[in-house]
Amino acid sequence: MLDYLARSLTDHPDAVAVEAVPTRGGTRLSLQVDPGDMGRVIGRRGRVAQAIRTLVRAAGASEGRDVSVDIVD
Amino acid sequence: MEWVETTGRTIQEAKEAALDQLGVDEHDAEFQILEEPRLGLFGRVRAEGRVRARVRPSTPRAKQDRRDRRRKGQGASGGTADQAEGDHDDAHPTASRTSAPSVGGHRASSSDDATPARRGPAADERPRAHLDDRHDDGAHPGREGDMLMDVALQEQAEVARQFLVGLLSRFGLAARLDIDILEEDERLEVRIEGDNLGVLIGQKGSTLAALQEVTRTHVMHRTAARNGRIHVDVSGYRHRRTEALAAFAQGLAKDVQRPGRAVALEPMNAADRKVVHDAVAKIEGVATRSEGDDERRHVVLVPLAADSPSAGPDAPAPTHSTDDLGTRATDEGDPDSGAGLDAV
């Protein structure tokens, strides 16, 4: 899901990398994108980043998993 | 598109006021700052800031197209007016929907026929999109501008459809996707229908709002669209909530009418504030105004008799929660977004 969203929102979909780290009671996803795409996945006042988090969390919750998203550079 | 002019103690405040009047998100508006606010001693405002704003025109146009459009705007007579009315009639399925007293029933059942609830991956063609092609049949000579606009909107609709089809399949959801092109408003209206779509709505519509945000961002990115005015609704949630919010605001307005005490609502986004402003405008003896900045911006209902300018924006008033409507509230930190339709 995160991979799909990130690829859909960036200029450099090939530079999208998602890493999953298991945490207590869930999964933490780290999203890495091309530096030029940072602005796109974050958006004004973090609106896009927040929307991405909400959707990924919702998708995770529908499978009974607790998922969080970090955007790293 | 018409400009509105507003003032405020800060530019941001003036912008917020303009967004209220336009009823659109900041994304969809463009601003001109006419006058910076001037501060006097101790930060007191000597002159308010003034801005001009309008709904951002949707697509960057070819020169030819732009010329057509301007011409159309100036000479609003004869054939153009007829045409506009014609467009209005068939390009606005929402008009009838808005006035429909009950929602959910017939549309839910029709989508049941279309897609039995199945789950599973590899469902790329399952959510079926219906793009309205009605504009293709009647090619109007001499209306290249509108033709081009249609193409742009249709392209946006197609991009949005593909994106959402992929997204729905990753949610493992069977759903039906309808996209209406509202040419007059330069807007796309996406409706997602099906069973068990609560996960797409989330608490107080938070997931739905996110869905709309990423869809808009994706479409703006992949097409030439400058504003991407896209509304996404799931199972009629937004529609029902808008009606509930309007009814709630009118009920509240009637309370304000008599005892004459101002009442503040909880913070809302620009689109919701416009719903409240419009709904209360139909109630006599009550005025509305918006107060607060950014995330805290909210509508206050004021009895007209007490609405003297000196009342000031800081007049204390209880915050009326609209939680029971599923209205967006301030507690966005809640991670559990599965509740969805049950709350409506």
Side-chain angles (χ1 to χ4, degrees), chain B residues 91-97 103 106-108 110-111 127-130 132 160-161 164 168 175-182 187-194 197 200 208 211 230-239:
Chain B
H92 275 261
T94 38
S96 56
R97 243 190 292 143
V103 276
H106 65 286
R107 273 191 287 142
S110 73
S111 63
R128 181 167 66 77
H130 147 77
D132 212 321
R161 187 188 69 81
L164 285 167
L168 289 171
R176 183 188 136 140
L177 201 58
D178 282 314
I179 303 183
D180 285 324
I181 298 173
L182 303 190
R187 179 159 67 85
L188 298 181
E189 187 90 38
V190 180
R191 294 193 311 275
I192 303 172
E193 306 275 355
L197 297 184
L200 292 181
L208 176 54
L211 190 65
I230 297 176
H231 289 192
V232 181
D233 201 354
V234 171
S235 303
Y237 171 86
R238 204 181 283 276
H239 176 64

Side-chain angles (χ1 to χ4, degrees), chain A residues 1 4-5 7-11 13 37 40 44-45 47-48 50-52 54-55 57-59 61-63, chain B residues 12 25-27 162-163 166-167 170-171 199 206-207 210-211 213-214 216-218 221-222 294 335 337:
Chain A
M1 170 66 69
Y4 177 71
L5 284 174
R7 285 173 194 273
S8 300
L9 297 172
T10 51
D11 279 331
D37 281 328
R40 285 197 185 280
R44 270 203 286 178
R45 294 189 201 171
R47 287 177 64 140
V48 177
Q50 196 51 48
I52 290 174
T54 302
L55 285 172
R57 213 190 289 133
S62 71
E63 297 169 4
Chain B
Q12 191 56 38
D25 192 83
E26 199 175 349
H27 280 301
Q162 283 182 11
F163 171 72
L167 195 71
R170 277 159 185 83
F171 265 103
V199 63
S206 58
T207 310
L211 190 65
E213 178 74 26
V214 295
R216 167 166 47 198
T217 307
H218 174 72
H221 182 206
R222 291 285 189 261
D294 297 336
S337 54

Side-chain angles (χ1 to χ4, degrees), chain B residues 5-73:
Chain B
E5 218 178 286
T6 53
T7 59
R9 284 176 302 176
T10 63
I11 290 296
Q12 191 56 38
E13 221 177 274
K15 282 184 176 179
E16 292 281 358
L19 290 178
D20 269 11
Q21 284 188 28
L22 296 171
V24 299
D25 192 83
E26 199 175 349
H27 280 301
D28 300 338
E30 66 182 28
F31 296 99
Q32 290 175 358
I33 294 170
L34 300 177
E35 217 170 317
E36 294 279 350
R38 283 202 316 264
L39 293 183
L41 212 52
F42 306 124
R44 273 179 304 192
V45 178
R46 283 179 53 197
E48 295 205 309
R50 278 199 310 139
V51 302
R52 221 156 79 96
R54 65 170 176 173
V55 176
R56 197 192 295 276
S58 62
T59 42
R61 285 158 212 289
K63 277 197 183 109
Q64 156 99 37
D65 182 19
R66 233 179 263 141
R67 203 168 55 228
D68 283 351
R69 190 174 156 75
R70 209 173 303 136
R71 194 182 62 216
K72 203 176 86 183

Side-chain angles (χ1 to χ4, degrees), chain B residues 110-130:
Chain B
S110 73
S111 63
D112 285 348
D113 304 341
T115 44
R118 283 174 288 162
R119 285 184 148 255
D124 269 14
E125 64 284 315
R126 195 195 303 145
R128 181 167 66 77
H130 147 77

